[in-house]
Amino acid sequence: MSNRAPRQFVRQGLRVPYIAPWTGEIREQPALERRHAHKGGGIAYVDEHPLHDRSAGILWVRMGAVRGAGKPLLASVNAPRQRQAMDRQLCQVCGGTTYGAADRRHLFLLSELQGRPIVEGEQTTAPPLHESCAAEALRDCPHLRNGAVAARVESPEPWGIAGMLHDPMTLAPRPSAQRGGLTFVPYTSHRLVWAVAHLDVVALRGCTPVGLDELLALTA
């Protein structure tokens, strides 16, 4: 894979993050049905495509992957690109690889922890960033600085998915009270068969805190 970052899009003078979805990528979600036991049980789409709707046996939300189609939705995440960024350790802002740092660590910036430090084994759906891209995000999004924390991480390890769980009896959605209605489900859980996955989750190992002032200094 090339180390070159993909095409960058700018709206109102701000760069659109690589993992942000566009209106032209939104897809209507199909109806669910019960999956036959010989196929693993759980839920399935009524018109499920065996190659496009599942990965490693996990059912995924449907979403297009056509960056630049329509208008950007900056408050949301494109599922296919988030998965790609987690799998390949791509910067969530520019889409370029975060491999190659002298210390072989990856920078993570988390906004959901409300100011507490990133701890060993922290679970997150946020892909890594380049230091310059993190500084740009902090500069251009002042609200991000309220409670955001950063760390350099030695090993982001695959952990599970964040998805919408469904009732095994009625197949009705069972949204979480936190995290946008999504539930974090480890790969070892039997509940995976009742989930529609939206995002990959990694566990952060070997975390060293980074001050936001240090990152913001890169834009000075």
Side-chain angles (χ1 to χ4, degrees), residues 16-27 60-69 71-86 92 125 127 197-200:
V16 178
Y18 175 71
I19 63 171
W22 296 71
T23 54
E25 298 180 314
I26 303 303
R27 300 289 183 266
W60 279 84
V61 65
R62 282 187 182 171
M63 183 172 285
V66 191
R67 291 180 65 232
K71 297 180 180 180
L73 302 171
L74 300 180
S76 189
V77 176
N78 175 281
R81 283 196 294 279
Q82 188 269 356
R83 290 167 60 194
Q84 182 187 55
M86 285 299 209
Q92 62 172 281
T125 61
H198 287 234
L199 302 168
D200 263 336

Side-chain angles (χ1 to χ4, degrees), residues 20-170:
W22 296 71
T23 54
E25 298 180 314
I26 303 303
R27 300 289 183 266
E28 183 177 355
Q29 298 306 302
L32 295 170
E33 64 181 4
R34 205 172 302 277
R35 197 182 190 204
H36 295 301
H38 74 275
K39 291 186 176 181
I43 53 176
Y45 292 141
V46 295
D47 61 347
E48 186 170 317
H49 191 290
L51 296 180
H52 302 311
D53 289 325
R54 287 187 186 269
S55 176
I58 299 172
L59 186 65
W60 279 84
V61 65
R62 282 187 182 171
M63 183 172 285
V66 191
R67 291 180 65 232
K71 297 180 180 180
L73 302 171
L74 300 180
S76 189
V77 176
N78 175 281
R81 283 196 294 279
Q82 188 269 356
R83 290 167 60 194
Q84 182 187 55
M86 285 299 209
D87 181 58
R88 301 179 181 178
Q89 292 302 291
L90 304 180
C91 175
Q92 62 172 281
V93 173
C94 74
T97 181
T98 62
Y99 284 105
D103 60 6
R104 299 185 179 181
R105 293 185 293 179
H106 304 272
L107 177 68
F108 281 79
L109 178 67
L110 308 187
S111 60
E112 67 270 22
L113 302 185
Q114 299 182 340
R116 72 164 175 81
I118 296 173
V119 299
E120 188 69 15
E122 190 80 59
Q123 298 151 16
T124 183
T125 61
L129 307 91
H130 295 120
E131 291 191 357
S132 58
C133 291
E136 177 184 321
L138 289 167
R139 180 198 66 198
D140 295 339
C141 303
H143 69 277
L144 186 61
R145 297 198 292 272
N146 296 326
V149 290
R152 293 186 177 91
V153 175
E154 294 177 4
S155 178
E157 299 177 354
W159 181 88
I161 58 96
M164 180 62 68
L165 286 177
H166 291 261
D167 188 282
M169 298 299 295
T170 66

